[in-house]
Amino acid sequence: MKYFTPELYLRFRSPGREEVVEAHDDWEAAIDSYRQHIKEIGPSMTANVRNLAESLCLHDAEYLGMAVLPTPDAGKPLAVLLTRQNTSRVFLVYLLAEQPLTRPVERNWPFSKEQVHWLYDEFDVDEGGVQQHEVLLSNGQIVTLRFHEMQLIRHNVEQPALV
Amino acid sequence: MSGKPTAPPKIYTATFGTGGDVVRGRQITEAEAVMERQSDHDVVVCGQNLADNYDLAEKIETAANGNCKPCPPHSAMGPGALPHFQPDPRGMRQGHTFYETAKRKSKKPKTS
């Protein structure tokens, strides 16, 4: 995470009120910088990913897990992130460029590790054109997915598709 | 933080508008806000001083639900999205205690 870093997020829990106020200012600056970054890298992203980078908001969605599936003909695996947001299940499907990475933040994590949910995320593209999605989860884990293409599937569990 | 004295924050019931906006309803007391939160309803703390708003929002959420955590707005939400406190972990509880910042304000309800 380059913009919505765990360190910045944890400053919202600083003991001093001046630090907390500064964290709010720095968060606003991070939002502005990130939006500018997305504009700049937009042409390097696929259309799907560009749209998701501009609009995807799974904040507070329940994180139900990740599956990595082999795709023998494509040579690269698929990853599926499953979340639940209100009455919808949201599947994020990635055609991976490499195996996903999950790692803990490098600081003590003061928040609950139960009932894991989505906090913040950001997209990026490297110089080789590989796209990246990083997600900070409420249990203090960061999931990094480097991929070629990504799709979102939203399924409303209370209004299943008509057959 | 400014050294100027500011009026104490006010608390309102709250609902979501469009694009993440938080729309304030009727003004309520701190005790009523705790009860609203215990009923899974949203409330919003409004005022000029961010630190005061933050402290009162945290106090309400803690009184209502125990452990809580702050959540600044997500980048994909609109300019009317407000930071908030919510239970940690969520448990079966819904809703948020929102608070205003210098840049982010709740919206007045539309009058018919």
Side-chain angles (χ1 to χ4, degrees), chain A residues 11-25, chain B residues 50 54 99:
Chain A
R11 285 170 52 203
F12 280 76
R13 262 293 185 228
S14 298
R17 285 298 165 264
E18 286 196 14
E19 293 170 275
V20 167
V21 170
E22 285 176 6
H24 285 76
D25 292 341
Chain B
L50 169 56
Y54 175 100
Y99 59 94

mmCIF file of all heavy atoms in Angstrom, chain A residues 11-25, chain B residues 50 54 99:
data_model
loop_
_atom_site.group_PDB
_atom_site.id
_atom_site.type_symbol
_atom_site.label_atom_id
_atom_site.label_comp_id
_atom_site.label_asym_id
_atom_site.label_seq_id
_atom_site.Cartn_x
_atom_site.Cartn_y
_atom_site.Cartn_z
ATOM 1 N N ARG A 11 -2.649 5.858 12.572
ATOM 2 C CA ARG A 11 -2.533 7.186 13.195
ATOM 3 C C ARG A 11 -3.891 7.742 13.612
ATOM 4 O O ARG A 11 -3.959 8.675 14.415
ATOM 5 C CB ARG A 11 -1.813 8.148 12.256
ATOM 6 C CG ARG A 11 -0.304 7.874 12.197
ATOM 7 C CD ARG A 11 0.373 8.665 11.101
ATOM 8 N NE ARG A 11 0.057 10.077 11.174
ATOM 9 C CZ ARG A 11 0.137 10.913 10.123
ATOM 10 N NH1 ARG A 11 0.521 10.439 8.951
ATOM 11 N NH2 ARG A 11 -0.174 12.174 10.262
ATOM 12 N N PHE A 12 -4.971 7.164 13.081
ATOM 13 C CA PHE A 12 -6.301 7.572 13.548
ATOM 14 C C PHE A 12 -6.545 7.103 14.984
ATOM 15 O O PHE A 12 -7.533 7.497 15.600
ATOM 16 C CB PHE A 12 -7.397 7.033 12.622
ATOM 17 C CG PHE A 12 -7.573 7.860 11.383
ATOM 18 C CD1 PHE A 12 -6.671 7.779 10.337
ATOM 19 C CD2 PHE A 12 -8.622 8.755 11.276
ATOM 20 C CE1 PHE A 12 -6.816 8.563 9.195
ATOM 21 C CE2 PHE A 12 -8.784 9.542 10.147
ATOM 22 C CZ PHE A 12 -7.881 9.446 9.108
ATOM 23 N N ARG A 13 -5.671 6.252 15.470
ATOM 24 C CA ARG A 13 -5.756 5.773 16.848
ATOM 25 C C ARG A 13 -4.645 6.352 17.717
ATOM 26 O O ARG A 13 -4.368 5.824 18.796
ATOM 27 C CB ARG A 13 -5.643 4.242 16.863
ATOM 28 C CG ARG A 13 -6.982 3.546 16.948
ATOM 29 C CD ARG A 13 -7.614 3.835 18.303
ATOM 30 N NE ARG A 13 -8.856 3.104 18.485
ATOM 31 C CZ ARG A 13 -9.983 3.667 18.917
ATOM 32 N NH1 ARG A 13 -10.028 4.943 19.175
ATOM 33 N NH2 ARG A 13 -11.062 2.946 19.091
ATOM 34 N N SER A 14 -4.024 7.427 17.263
ATOM 35 C CA SER A 14 -2.941 8.027 18.047
ATOM 36 C C SER A 14 -3.485 8.566 19.364
ATOM 37 O O SER A 14 -4.626 9.036 19.430
ATOM 38 C CB SER A 14 -2.307 9.183 17.271
ATOM 39 O OG SER A 14 -1.734 8.727 16.087
ATOM 40 N N PRO A 15 -2.649 8.535 20.416
ATOM 41 C CA PRO A 15 -3.129 9.043 21.704
ATOM 42 C C PRO A 15 -3.297 10.555 21.716
ATOM 43 O O PRO A 15 -4.155 11.072 22.427
ATOM 44 C CB PRO A 15 -2.031 8.595 22.687
ATOM 45 C CG PRO A 15 -0.830 8.322 21.847
ATOM 46 C CD PRO A 15 -1.325 7.924 20.494
ATOM 47 N N GLY A 16 -2.500 11.275 20.942
ATOM 48 C CA GLY A 16 -2.584 12.736 20.946
ATOM 49 C C GLY A 16 -3.566 13.238 19.898
ATOM 50 O O GLY A 16 -3.589 12.748 18.770
ATOM 51 N N ARG A 17 -4.369 14.224 20.288
ATOM 52 C CA ARG A 17 -5.382 14.727 19.368
ATOM 53 C C ARG A 17 -4.772 15.479 18.175
ATOM 54 O O ARG A 17 -5.350 15.486 17.094
ATOM 55 C CB ARG A 17 -6.379 15.610 20.115
ATOM 56 C CG ARG A 17 -7.339 14.782 20.953
ATOM 57 C CD ARG A 17 -8.164 13.858 20.050
ATOM 58 N NE ARG A 17 -8.848 12.801 20.784
ATOM 59 C CZ ARG A 17 -8.383 11.572 20.932
ATOM 60 N NH1 ARG A 17 -7.211 11.216 20.419
ATOM 61 N NH2 ARG A 17 -9.071 10.660 21.582
ATOM 62 N N GLU A 18 -3.641 16.125 18.368
ATOM 63 C CA GLU A 18 -3.011 16.804 17.225
ATOM 64 C C GLU A 18 -2.605 15.772 16.172
ATOM 65 O O GLU A 18 -2.743 16.015 14.963
ATOM 66 C CB GLU A 18 -1.799 17.615 17.679
ATOM 67 C CG GLU A 18 -2.187 18.879 18.425
ATOM 68 C CD GLU A 18 -1.033 19.870 18.547
ATOM 69 O OE1 GLU A 18 -0.029 19.683 17.837
ATOM 70 O OE2 GLU A 18 -1.159 20.797 19.356
ATOM 71 N N GLU A 19 -2.109 14.634 16.621
ATOM 72 C CA GLU A 19 -1.736 13.581 15.676
ATOM 73 C C GLU A 19 -2.964 13.049 14.936
ATOM 74 O O GLU A 19 -2.901 12.748 13.748
ATOM 75 C CB GLU A 19 -1.066 12.421 16.425
ATOM 76 C CG GLU A 19 0.274 12.754 17.035
ATOM 77 C CD GLU A 19 0.751 11.639 17.969
ATOM 78 O OE1 GLU A 19 0.340 11.664 19.148
ATOM 79 O OE2 GLU A 19 1.475 10.762 17.500
ATOM 80 N N VAL A 20 -4.059 12.936 15.669
ATOM 81 C CA VAL A 20 -5.296 12.442 15.039
ATOM 82 C C VAL A 20 -5.782 13.430 13.977
ATOM 83 O O VAL A 20 -6.166 13.034 12.872
ATOM 84 C CB VAL A 20 -6.385 12.201 16.113
ATOM 85 C CG1 VAL A 20 -7.749 11.991 15.464
ATOM 86 C CG2 VAL A 20 -6.010 11.006 16.982
ATOM 87 N N VAL A 21 -5.729 14.715 14.305
ATOM 88 C CA VAL A 21 -6.156 15.732 13.334
ATOM 89 C C VAL A 21 -5.239 15.704 12.107
ATOM 90 O O VAL A 21 -5.698 15.774 10.961
ATOM 91 C CB VAL A 21 -6.175 17.128 13.991
ATOM 92 C CG1 VAL A 21 -6.376 18.219 12.948
ATOM 93 C CG2 VAL A 21 -7.285 17.186 15.039
ATOM 94 N N GLU A 22 -3.946 15.577 12.345
ATOM 95 C CA GLU A 22 -3.000 15.491 11.217
ATOM 96 C C GLU A 22 -3.273 14.256 10.363
ATOM 97 O O GLU A 22 -3.137 14.295 9.140
ATOM 98 C CB GLU A 22 -1.564 15.456 11.735
ATOM 99 C CG GLU A 22 -1.062 16.807 12.216
ATOM 100 C CD GLU A 22 0.331 16.706 12.816
ATOM 101 O OE1 GLU A 22 0.945 15.621 12.748
ATOM 102 O OE2 GLU A 22 0.793 17.720 13.367
ATOM 103 N N ALA A 23 -3.656 13.167 10.998
ATOM 104 C CA ALA A 23 -3.968 11.942 10.245
ATOM 105 C C ALA A 23 -5.142 12.187 9.293
ATOM 106 O O ALA A 23 -5.133 11.714 8.151
ATOM 107 C CB ALA A 23 -4.286 10.797 11.208
ATOM 108 N N HIS A 24 -6.146 12.935 9.763
ATOM 109 C CA HIS A 24 -7.275 13.258 8.879
ATOM 110 C C HIS A 24 -6.808 14.079 7.677
ATOM 111 O O HIS A 24 -7.218 13.831 6.545
ATOM 112 C CB HIS A 24 -8.347 14.038 9.648
ATOM 113 C CG HIS A 24 -9.166 13.206 10.586
ATOM 114 N ND1 HIS A 24 -8.691 12.761 11.797
ATOM 115 C CD2 HIS A 24 -10.432 12.712 10.485
ATOM 116 C CE1 HIS A 24 -9.631 12.058 12.402
ATOM 117 N NE2 HIS A 24 -10.690 12.001 11.626
ATOM 118 N N ASP A 25 -5.953 15.067 7.933
ATOM 119 C CA ASP A 25 -5.438 15.895 6.820
ATOM 120 C C ASP A 25 -4.630 15.040 5.850
ATOM 121 O O ASP A 25 -4.751 15.181 4.625
ATOM 122 C CB ASP A 25 -4.561 17.026 7.374
ATOM 123 C CG ASP A 25 -5.367 18.052 8.156
ATOM 124 O OD1 ASP A 25 -6.604 18.102 7.982
ATOM 125 O OD2 ASP A 25 -4.756 18.780 8.966
ATOM 126 N N LEU B 50 -12.716 19.410 14.835
ATOM 127 C CA LEU B 50 -12.563 17.990 14.498
ATOM 128 C C LEU B 50 -12.245 17.137 15.727
ATOM 129 O O LEU B 50 -12.834 16.069 15.919
ATOM 130 C CB LEU B 50 -11.460 17.819 13.443
ATOM 131 C CG LEU B 50 -10.994 16.392 13.174
ATOM 132 C CD1 LEU B 50 -12.149 15.488 12.778
ATOM 133 C CD2 LEU B 50 -9.914 16.400 12.096
ATOM 134 N N TYR B 54 -14.478 14.079 16.949
ATOM 135 C CA TYR B 54 -13.875 12.738 17.026
ATOM 136 C C TYR B 54 -14.073 12.153 18.429
ATOM 137 O O TYR B 54 -14.508 11.000 18.576
ATOM 138 C CB TYR B 54 -12.387 12.858 16.684
ATOM 139 C CG TYR B 54 -11.559 11.606 16.824
ATOM 140 C CD1 TYR B 54 -11.227 10.837 15.706
ATOM 141 C CD2 TYR B 54 -11.062 11.204 18.061
ATOM 142 C CE1 TYR B 54 -10.444 9.697 15.827
ATOM 143 C CE2 TYR B 54 -10.281 10.071 18.191
ATOM 144 C CZ TYR B 54 -9.971 9.326 17.076
ATOM 145 O OH TYR B 54 -9.195 8.200 17.208
ATOM 146 N N TYR B 99 -18.775 11.491 12.023
ATOM 147 C CA TYR B 99 -18.412 12.814 12.545
ATOM 148 C C TYR B 99 -17.883 13.684 11.421
ATOM 149 O O TYR B 99 -17.341 13.199 10.434
ATOM 150 C CB TYR B 99 -17.401 12.719 13.697
ATOM 151 C CG TYR B 99 -16.093 12.043 13.373
ATOM 152 C CD1 TYR B 99 -14.979 12.777 12.966
ATOM 153 C CD2 TYR B 99 -15.962 10.657 13.478
ATOM 154 C CE1 TYR B 99 -13.774 12.156 12.690
ATOM 155 C CE2 TYR B 99 -14.766 10.025 13.192
ATOM 156 C CZ TYR B 99 -13.676 10.766 12.793
ATOM 157 O OH TYR B 99 -12.492 10.152 12.501
#
